[in-house]
Amino acid sequence: FQIACMTLPYSPFPLQRALTGIRDAGYRHVAWGTSHRQDGKNVPVLAADAPVAAARDLATRCRDLGLEPVMMFSGIYPEAKNGFEVLRQRILQAAAAKMPQVLTFGHTKGGGEKVWIDRFTKLAPIARDNNVLLVVKQHGGSTGTGDACARITRAVNHSHIKVNYDAGNVMDYLEGKVNPLKDLEACREEVRSFCIKDHRFFPPPHADCGPGLGEIDHYRLLHIVAFTGLTIPLCCENIFAPRLPRPTTPEGVDALARRAREFLDLCIRGIQA
């Protein structure tokens, strides 16, 4: 397992502050989020049409801080009109950054499975040639479960089109009707990474939260894939405390990022012992 923090929890703050905060919270791996507040504007971490050199430069910035990039958001639904073109460029960006995975997911209302399979089939050799995995995670609708995502990746049947597992999203969008432990068992052979977030139903209203602060048993969850022989990034997407307002300072986010890392580290060491 590679414990990584997404820059996403630091979205209200500049990207550079996110990177230094993640490093100082003890992480050695990072996942690129979507945008960050800079000089009063939301600035993309890496624009969809950015040249590959920009991705290479950003990866160098990360590595200079001691952070190895492991995943980036695609920022587009696979079924979007320009989905193929954007995902292709994201794969090329990731390759230039020597980043192993690009993450995508569908619209919460559901997408066209046939379109996904067709586009992933065309993207698969591009991903293979660039040594990048394109991973798809659960996001409600027709791809609300890992099992549903795996149905698509199995249809594509390619080594570089796989599943990212997001247990928090399974609990959130499906309102607790699907047990993520059983769901992960159904797609475990396809899983190559995790978006880490927890989920808590009590006290209401139910909401996502940081790992170890919700109702997901991460010992059982990670044990399902702990002895596969794979290298699996665990990318912390939500690190916040349930029922409490999100921090208004980057130092507050730092503290929660460190807590999430320490919790996952304890889980992993316990499982692997």
Side-chain angles (χ1 to χ4, degrees), residues 74-248:
S74 67
I76 195 165
Y77 299 135
E79 67 268 22
K81 186 176 180 180
N82 59 335
F84 174 83
E85 291 77 14
V86 171
L87 288 171
R88 180 181 182 277
Q89 181 65 7
R90 289 302 196 190
I91 289 169
L92 298 179
Q93 290 171 342
K98 292 183 169 60
M99 176 180 290
Q101 298 192 19
V102 171
L103 175 70
T104 190
F105 48 85
H107 194 282
T108 55
K109 301 298 183 184
E113 187 170 312
K114 288 183 64 177
V115 174
W116 284 41
I117 292 171
D118 177 65
R119 288 189 173 170
F120 288 166
T121 299
K122 292 175 181 175
L123 288 163
I126 300 170
R128 179 199 59 214
D129 292 347
N130 285 279
N131 197 29
V132 173
L133 283 176
L134 181 61
V135 291
V136 55
K137 75 165 182 168
Q138 308 74 52
H139 202 239
S142 58
T143 52
T145 66
D147 194 23
C149 293
R151 184 173 64 247
I152 293 170
T153 61
R154 286 175 181 136
V156 177
N157 190 27
H158 196 281
S159 59
H160 285 68
I161 307 294
K162 292 296 177 181
V163 172
N164 170 285
Y165 201 79
D166 188 329
N169 272 8
V170 172
M171 292 187 74
D172 185 12
Y173 290 111
L174 301 182
E175 299 182 337
K177 296 171 185 172
V178 173
N179 183 335
L181 299 178
K182 292 182 179 179
D183 184 43
L184 179 56
E185 286 280 9
C187 64
R188 59 185 294 178
E189 296 87 358
E190 294 292 299
V191 172
R192 295 297 181 273
S193 58
F194 285 74
C195 284
I196 293 290
K197 65 167 74 82
D198 212 327
H199 197 82
R200 176 160 288 283
F201 287 96
F202 182 88
H206 73 92
D208 286 335
C209 57
L213 296 174
E215 300 175 20
I216 297 170
D217 186 335
H218 282 79
Y219 283 88
R220 291 183 182 276
L221 185 79
L222 297 179
H223 185 271
I224 293 170
V225 296
F227 303 101
T228 59
L230 299 169
T231 298
I232 298 180
L234 308 177
C235 302
C236 294
E237 181 177 333
N238 188 319
I239 58 176
F240 301 110
R243 300 282 290 172
L244 298 178
R246 296 192 175 189
T248 57

Side-chain angles (χ1 to χ4, degrees), residues 5-18:
C5 189
M6 292 187 179
T7 67
L8 194 65
Y10 289 87
S11 291
F13 311 106
L15 175 59
Q16 188 64 23
R17 179 59 182 83

